[in-house]
Amino acid sequence: MYKQHSLSLAYLTVQGCPPVEHVRCAAVAGYDAAGLRLIAPLGLELAHPIVGDKALIREIRTTAADLGIGFLDGEVFTLRADTAIESWLPVIETAAEFGMPLMQITSEDPDLSRASDNLGRIADVAGGHGIAIAIEFMRWRAAATIEDAAQLAAASGRGNVGILLDALHLSRSGGGPAAVAALRDKVLYLQLCDAPASQPADDAGRIAEARGARMIPGEGGLWLGELMAELPPDIAISVETPHRGDASLSFVEKARRGIAGTRNFLDSL
């Protein structure tokens, strides 16, 4: 039953939605929580900056409290050779204001020693606020596989660092349920969607798929049933289902489509 899982509305499912409306969409559609983009991924810009806007932060918090919506995670730090951890401190403080237990991080730094040192430093700051750092691996990043993410987490030496498991990225990086079985203790939460069994031909296609062409769980060709069997029965799930066919839908319709399909899939297990 899906009631075992806390379901959160991921940023990409309602990409471009203003954050207060994002929270309202989560409530109307029946989610338990929401995830907010606090810092842009490498190469992108924030559509709706939050960090540093005290009035907006207060409005988001008030709206969430009034509607009974929590916050699962914040997006997304990127480790680079020139990472300046000090610039991330306001982001961690904002995540703490929302009571987020998790912050996402990716790595574009091929130097494991340097990347793990910076990861450990930001994890120490996050840990002071009760926040864990979840490494999201992607085929086109330096941390490309679940094994890469596990290695980076271990190298950091911090107990509040683990893995964000995205079903799509697991598939596209050559992984599957067996890889998860070996590392399940490192997985902090799950981003759930489906996709065709065959993947795009190149990284440009994989990036486009990840950001805007995912499928509802159970409607594609991935091994999601086997994946769920390897994970804790109460693992938190971020519903990340942006789809190219959603262009005509409102934000709340996109949110409803994602949660309805996810519930149907989980109930079918």
Side-chain angles (χ1 to χ4, degrees):
M1 284 290 291
Y2 70 83
K3 287 296 186 184
Q4 293 175 282
H5 301 278
S6 172
L7 300 181
S8 179
L9 177 59
Y11 170 82
L12 280 181
T13 300
V14 288
Q15 186 170 189
C17 185
V20 175
E21 187 176 352
H22 184 145
V23 171
R24 292 189 179 120
C25 286
V28 169
Y31 291 82
D32 304 292
L36 299 178
R37 180 163 284 183
L38 301 181
I39 181 170
L42 184 64
L44 300 179
E45 294 185 4
L46 285 176
H48 302 285
I50 298 172
V51 176
D53 189 332
K54 293 183 179 180
L56 179 58
I57 292 169
R58 185 165 52 249
E59 184 181 7
I60 294 169
R61 291 181 60 191
T62 299
T63 301
D66 289 346
L67 297 176
I69 293 295
F71 294 99
L72 177 63
D73 59 342
E75 302 183 9
V76 51
F77 293 130
T78 303
L79 290 166
R80 301 173 57 182
D82 60 351
T83 289
I85 295 300
E86 293 73 18
S87 68
W88 290 357
L89 301 186
V91 181
I92 288 291
E93 291 167 1
T94 301
E97 287 192 72
F98 291 128
M100 291 174 172
L102 297 158
M103 274 294 303
Q104 298 178 22
I105 197 165
T106 65
S107 181
E108 287 282 9
D109 190 346
D111 185 318
L112 179 62
S113 177
R114 182 175 55 212
S116 61
D117 178 65
N118 282 323
L119 175 58
R121 290 168 61 211
I122 195 61
D124 287 342
V125 176
H129 295 283
I131 298 170
I133 301 293
I135 303 167
E136 183 172 21
F137 58 93
M138 304 176 193
R139 179 168 173 163
W140 57 89
R141 304 290 191 196
T145 67
I146 189 171
E147 291 83 6
D148 291 340
Q151 182 184 32
L152 179 56
S156 78
R158 303 312 197 269
N160 66 324
V161 176
I163 297 170
L164 162 53
L165 180 61
D166 183 313
L168 181 68
H169 294 316
L170 180 66
S171 166
R172 284 10 186 179
S173 61
V180 174
L183 295 168
R184 64 164 64 93
D185 292 344
K186 301 295 184 183
V187 175
L188 298 179
Y189 69 117
L190 172 67
Q191 283 184 334
L192 189 58
C193 70
D194 213 332
S198 59
Q199 61 173 293
D202 55 27
D203 281 349
R206 283 182 278 270
I207 292 170
E209 178 186 52
R211 292 176 178 170
R214 297 173 182 240
M215 300 175 70
I216 295 294
E219 294 184 0
L222 301 187
W223 19 241
L224 297 185
E226 292 87 346
L227 178 64
M228 295 303 299
E230 299 295 348
L231 295 169
D234 60 348
I235 191 168
I237 294 175
S238 175
V239 178
E240 191 169 59
T241 55
H243 191 271
R244 60 172 59 95
D246 287 352
S248 64
L249 300 181
S250 68
F251 290 129
V252 72
E253 287 170 335
K254 293 175 184 179
R256 282 174 166 154
R257 178 179 178 275
I259 198 171
T262 300
R263 285 172 168 170
N264 287 340
F265 164 70
L266 292 174
D267 278 346
S268 74
L269 297 179

